Amino acid sequence: MFGAIKFAKIAGRKLGNILKGKKGKEALEKEVKDMGLDGQGVDIHVDDDGKVTVKGKAVSQEMKEKIILAVGNVEGVGEVNDEADTDDDAAPSVFHQVVSGDTLWAVSKTYLGKGSRYMEIFEANRPMLSHPDKIYVGQVLRIPGGTAPSASA
């Protein structure tokens, strides 16, 4: 479990101003389904303040992380509380919030040691990413196999 993951509340996919309670839950569940993600065993809860909680048992660590990113990278969501489990023993990914000037090449160089590995990050974030050049400030990306950059980096 990750705990709370912060997202840029003012950035992300626009689903409308309905991210509260039952309507928010339905909108985010539809977002997960529309992306072709397997939400089986996962429950999404939306508080009245727009905080999202993901509970239950996801089919895999990768799918859990993708669901968290799918619901977190939505305008109006500022935090996703990860309370979901998985049965696989895959290591959790590192998350990176895109800042001005970031490219997948630069992010790859920071976390994976080589910019040329940027397609690994792109593929790890599909279907949320449609093209390697289409990332935006505030977006959170998953970096599988990555290590957090040192404080001096």
Side-chain angles (χ1 to χ4, degrees):
M1 284 190 230
F2 283 112
I5 301 107
K6 299 288 184 188
F7 289 84
K9 196 170 188 172
I10 60 171
R13 190 172 164 109
K14 293 170 180 37
L15 297 183
N17 193 18
I18 55 168
L19 292 178
K20 293 184 179 180
K22 185 177 179 184
K23 287 192 184 261
K25 172 184 173 67
E26 291 168 356
L28 293 177
E29 286 174 344
K30 183 178 183 319
E31 179 74 355
V32 167
K33 184 178 179 184
D34 289 351
M35 287 192 177
L37 301 174
D38 186 349
Q40 179 181 342
V42 174
D43 181 50
I44 298 169
H45 176 76
V46 184
D47 292 342
D48 286 339
D49 62 359
K51 277 189 190 170
V52 176
T53 301
V54 176
K55 295 181 178 184
K57 186 166 281 195
V59 297
S60 68
Q61 181 69 28
E62 175 185 3
M63 192 57 58
K64 176 178 90 158
E65 292 170 357
K66 286 186 173 190
I67 290 168
I68 289 167
L69 293 181
V71 300
N73 285 317
V74 167
E75 186 178 67
V77 176
E79 183 177 301
V80 176
N81 191 24
D82 172 14
E83 295 181 6
D85 290 317
T86 66
D87 280 333
D88 67 2
D89 57 358
S93 299
V94 174
F95 283 173
H96 170 78
Q97 189 167 53
V98 175
V99 297
S100 182
D102 271 353
T103 62
L104 286 186
W105 185 280
V107 172
S108 176
K109 188 172 181 181
T110 299
Y111 290 92
L112 303 178
K114 291 183 179 180
S116 60
R117 293 179 66 189
Y118 75 97
M119 285 301 290
E120 293 175 43
I121 297 172
F122 173 70
E123 290 299 330
N125 286 278
R126 288 180 65 105
M128 289 75 64
L129 293 182
S130 61
H131 190 279
D133 293 334
K134 294 188 177 182
I135 61 174
Y136 56 86
V137 173
Q139 183 176 28
V140 177
L141 302 171
R142 63 186 287 268
I143 320 292
T147 57
S150 65
S152 61

